[in-house]
Amino acid sequence: MLVKTFGAAVQGIDALIVTIEVSVQNGISFTIVGLPDTAVKESHQRVISAIRHTGFDYPRRNVVVNMAPADVRKEGAAYDLPIAIGLLVGSEQIQAPELDRCIIMGELSLDGSVLPVRGALSMAIEARKRGYRSIIVPQANATEAAVVNNLDVYGVDNLRQVVDHLSGNVPLQPVVFDTRDEFARAQNRFDFDFSEVKGQESVKRAFEVACAGGHNILLVGPPGSGKSMMAKRLPSIMPPLSLAEALETTKIHSVAGKLKSGSKLMTARPFRSPHHTISPVALVGGGSNPHPGEISLAHNGILFMDEFPEFPRQVLEVLRQPLEDRHISISRARYAVDYPAGFMLVASMNPCPCGYYNHPTKECTCPAGAVNKYLAKISGPLLDRIDIQCEILPVPFEKLSSTAPGEHSADIRRRVVAARAIQDARFSDEKDIHCNAQMTSRLIARHCVLSEQAMAILSHAMTRYDMSARAYDRILKVARTIADLDASADITPDHIREAVSYRNLDRGSWGRYQ
């Protein structure tokens, strides 16, 4: 008897429907075809044990399992459950009249328990797109998949529950999840607030500008000046995720297996902080079986790289293309996958190896030339891609001991959201352009027109600090954001001056007199 069940394979961050054909005929053998990996081939023993522990007989006959399309590699143990159901129906031990309208995925334990899988949200999205009525997934993935509307999602703990549901003996109740209500209620939950930061008003302003325009930012300052503390508070002033962004972000984390059991829709922008010992593959994604890297896990959020110069040069250089293209392509001999990487880079570093160059009270002990050598660990092309470079100094004692709270994140966020609304209207007709940091040369020429006075100030700064053409574009983008924060249609000389002040490391005097 030939039976067809349906599952899904994850490719990149999307899913592809897989037809699992199970043929039970005369003979004694078991064969799986359709480009399965080792984990899929090993499903034989797991399925046998799970079927027997559930109270059924494993058919001692010739079993052939074909996974179509045959030219797509099938990876992981998530195909155990649809194979087991196909065997039970094919050996006529159970009846499942609704089998052709349902996607089934789950890893089986030897006792018949169903274990969680990766990419359940992507599978549910594809199931609804292809017109399936329901999807059966492990209980740990049920709330994640239930984010998708107009699709019945059933969470199961063991093989027996799946059999009873499909045969109609004990129907399961679909998991109910109000996506929009949950999304609206969780928009303003943050563990950190800028009101807890003492002083550092100029740095807070730089962060506000960065979030308002989606600009990359680098903080340079001595140890203990508050670089990491303020970076952790950045999500609290970034614009809220849209529902589409939340779905995309959740899908990436689901595919990477980063969602906790019982997780629902991600409602806060991701904040990823990899250690400086990370490898290039772990950062950008890839591997023998490609998975999203840290830059994709930070999509729609923040990638915070503390101790920036301590990262290996090769790791830093692989950032250059994703920072420009906002996606990363991973190519293999048989296929290629594309992962989104629209993140905001936030980096921090000490000004020198000892950490006290330019410190107001402590003396730098580094030998001559050490400052420039330390900064040279960050290449010029990478530095050019960072719009805002901000020097940060320790907080004076009188401000540190003050009990007066600083400005709350909610107040800063309102200004950021207002500036982003201006940009949304500005780029409403542009594809994949949502903020000033993403402007192309054509859009810069259209939206960053300067007066003669403003152009003269910019010309003088470019000449004096010997800035590159890319730095010129960055200054204009940042100036446009500052104007948006002021609700100004024109970029004024003051906006240009502030934007130029955020190019600290472009200045020829930095580190020269050390």
Side-chain angles (χ1 to χ4, degrees):
M1 182 177 180
L2 177 63
V3 176
K4 292 183 179 181
T5 60
F6 299 92
V10 176
Q11 290 188 314
I13 63 170
D14 298 314
L16 173 72
I17 298 299
V18 174
T19 302
I20 301 162
E21 301 174 319
V22 181
S23 175
V24 181
Q25 303 293 339
N26 292 331
I28 302 177
S29 66
F30 184 91
T31 307
I32 297 182
V33 297
L35 211 59
D37 72 351
T38 302
V40 178
K41 292 177 182 177
E42 291 176 346
S43 66
H44 183 204
Q45 298 302 322
R46 292 191 296 271
V47 168
I48 290 176
S49 179
I51 287 177
R52 287 175 175 170
H53 276 82
T54 307
F56 295 97
D57 295 325
Y58 180 78
R60 295 182 175 273
R61 305 179 70 182
N62 181 32
V63 177
V64 178
V65 179
N66 177 47
M67 297 180 168
D71 60 344
V72 175
R73 187 166 181 79
K74 319 304 184 304
E75 300 172 350
Y79 300 98
D80 293 356
L81 189 55
I83 291 174
I85 294 299
L87 279 170
L88 291 175
V89 176
S91 60
E92 300 181 347
Q93 297 185 66
I94 67 170
Q95 299 292 322
E98 299 290 325
L99 197 59
D100 60 339
R101 301 176 183 179
C102 179
I103 298 292
I104 306 172
M105 291 297 282
E107 177 183 346
L108 283 175
S109 180
L110 295 181
D111 63 356
S113 300
V114 180
L115 306 179
V117 299
R118 294 192 298 184
L121 177 57
S122 298
M123 297 172 188
I125 292 173
E126 186 66 15
R128 183 184 65 178
K129 180 180 177 182
R130 297 298 179 185
Y132 289 88
R133 289 186 179 180
S134 62
I135 181 171
I136 297 175
V137 294
Q139 188 66 53
N141 300 112
T143 52
E144 171 192 340
V147 168
V148 180
N149 297 323
N150 302 319
L151 179 73
D152 289 336
V153 176
Y154 299 103
V156 294
D157 292 313
N158 52 64
L159 178 58
R160 170 58 69 179
Q161 288 182 332
V162 182
V163 170
D164 290 343
H165 173 73
L166 291 174
S167 61
N169 294 333
V170 186
L172 297 170
Q173 294 299 315
V175 178
V176 178
F177 178 72
D178 191 331
T179 305
R180 296 187 180 278
D181 179 65
E182 176 67 20
F183 184 69
R185 286 191 294 107
Q187 280 294 296
N188 298 304
R189 299 174 187 170
F190 298 104
D191 295 328
F192 305 105
D193 194 282
F194 266 98
S195 63
E196 302 159 351
V197 178
K198 306 294 184 181
Q200 302 293 12
E201 302 305 326
S202 62
V203 183
K204 291 179 185 177
R205 170 64 176 179
F207 274 146
E208 180 180 340
V209 173
C211 291
H215 303 288
N216 303 317
I217 182 171
L218 171 64
L219 298 177
V220 185
S225 54
K227 302 185 295 294
S228 300
M229 180 184 69
M230 285 191 285
K232 291 178 181 178
R233 284 156 176 76
L234 266 178
S236 67
I237 66 171
M238 291 190 74
L241 283 169
S242 67
L243 187 55
E245 288 176 328
L247 282 169
E248 184 180 34
T249 304
T250 307
K251 189 160 66 169
I252 295 170
H253 285 249
S254 172
V255 168
K258 299 296 183 181
L259 291 181
K260 296 179 180 178
S261 177
S263 294
K264 303 176 183 177
L265 187 68
M266 291 183 64
T267 55
R269 293 188 181 272
F271 182 91
R272 304 295 299 183
S273 181
H275 192 261
H276 61 258
T277 56
I278 191 172
S279 69
V281 171
L283 184 66
V284 302
S288 56
N289 297 325
H291 288 99
E294 288 292 330
I295 63 172
S296 295
L297 293 172
H299 181 64
N300 292 324
I302 295 167
L303 179 68
F304 177 51
M305 302 183 73
D306 200 5
E307 305 297 342
F308 203 38
E310 301 303 325
F311 284 82
R313 184 67 172 258
Q314 185 182 5
V315 171
L316 294 179
E317 293 307 303
V318 298
L319 280 173
R320 286 161 54 177
Q321 183 182 353
L323 283 172
E324 290 287 335
D325 300 339
R326 302 179 65 80
H327 69 88
I328 184 73
S329 295
I330 309 295
S331 298
R332 294 292 178 266
R334 290 181 176 270
Y335 61 92
V337 295
D338 191 84
Y339 294 121
F343 60 93
M344 187 176 114
L345 175 64
V346 180
S348 69
M349 59 179 285
N350 295 330
C352 65
C354 81
Y356 295 109
Y357 176 69
N358 266 6
H359 195 283
T361 60
K362 296 184 180 181
E363 183 178 354
C364 176
T365 60
C366 296
V371 175
N372 282 332
K373 185 178 180 180
Y374 190 69
L375 296 180
K377 292 184 177 181
I378 307 172
S379 68
L382 177 58
L383 201 58
D384 276 348
R385 287 169 168 82
I386 300 177
D387 302 357
I388 298 176
Q389 303 156 8
C390 183
E391 185 176 7
I392 176 172
L393 296 175
V395 181
F397 177 77
E398 51 272 18
K399 289 188 177 180
L400 194 62
S401 59
S402 173
T403 57
E407 187 176 22
H408 286 274
S409 292
D411 298 324
I412 303 174
R413 194 186 205 191
R414 276 192 285 271
R415 296 195 295 270
V416 169
V417 170
R420 283 292 183 101
I422 294 173
Q423 294 165 51
D424 287 340
R426 177 182 298 136
F427 305 124
S428 58
D429 296 330
E430 303 290 339
K431 183 180 179 181
D432 297 329
I433 304 292
H434 307 288
C435 60
N436 290 332
Q438 300 171 6
M439 282 194 291
T440 61
S441 297
R442 174 180 60 85
L443 294 175
I444 291 173
R446 180 188 301 175
H447 300 296
C448 300
V449 179
L450 302 183
S451 65
E452 289 186 8
Q453 184 182 0
M455 182 60 76
I457 294 171
L458 180 55
S459 175
H460 175 73
M462 292 289 297
T463 304
R464 180 177 179 183
Y465 301 129
D466 192 24
M467 296 180 181
S468 67
R470 186 177 279 115
Y472 171 80
D473 286 347
R474 304 288 171 177
I475 290 172
L476 289 178
K477 291 179 181 180
V478 173
R480 179 67 269 170
T481 299
I482 297 169
D484 291 342
L485 284 168
D486 288 344
S488 172
D490 300 321
I491 299 176
T492 66
D494 287 341
H495 298 151
I496 290 292
R497 290 190 186 97
E498 184 177 352
V500 170
S501 73
Y502 293 138
R503 301 296 300 184
N504 280 9
L505 298 189
D506 285 332
R507 300 177 184 180
S509 61
W510 181 272
R512 179 179 297 176
Y513 304 110
Q514 177 244 357

